Amino acid sequence: MSGVLHDVLTAILVLAGAAMCLAAGIGLIRFPDVLSRLHAATKPQIFGLMAVTADVAINNFSVGTVTLVVAIVVFQALTAPMAAHLVGRAAYATEHLRPDLLIVDELKGRRAEQ
């Protein structure tokens, strides 16, 4: 790969990752309740991490680096939604959310199970 193309690809991936992480941070500050903030914390953050780690894998292409990048992305993709789910359930159980923003409340009437 030519040097200019390599630098352009690196710039695109790093800027995309930084933009996604920035969007996640802004969403954490601007969104009104816990459930909305969880969405902002998980979705763009994972995509930003994927972009940055893809750049690391491209710049340092070796079996060890690619394996580490895949492990990082897989573990983050598995743990972030589970952590968000647990935080969401805890917020619902302690009523730290805005019920007027819920479209469907599937947990209403099932509080005894928690």
Side-chain angles (χ1 to χ4, degrees):
M1 190 182 317
S2 70
V4 174
L5 181 63
H6 191 268
D7 290 343
V8 168
L9 183 61
T10 295
I12 289 171
L13 287 172
V14 169
L15 288 175
M20 289 297 206
C21 293
L22 178 67
I26 291 172
L28 284 174
I29 294 170
R30 299 284 301 172
F31 284 163
D33 69 334
V34 175
L35 301 179
S36 300
R37 289 177 182 164
L38 284 175
H39 177 75
T42 55
K43 301 286 188 222
Q45 190 66 30
I46 293 293
F47 291 135
L49 177 78
M50 289 169 67
V52 170
T53 55
D55 180 56
V56 169
I58 290 170
N59 281 323
N60 302 317
F61 193 76
S62 68
V63 174
T65 304
V66 172
T67 304
L68 184 62
V69 164
V70 169
I72 290 170
V73 170
V74 166
F75 287 127
Q76 280 293 314
L78 290 175
T79 58
M82 285 187 272
H85 175 77
L86 291 174
V87 171
R89 290 294 291 249
Y92 186 85
T94 58
E95 298 177 0
H96 283 88
L97 58 98
R98 290 183 45 191
D100 59 313
L101 295 177
L102 294 177
I103 296 171
V104 176
D105 188 358
E106 295 177 354
L107 296 176
K108 191 173 190 170
R110 295 175 56 185
R111 296 225 1 129
E113 294 178 14
Q114 295 178 356

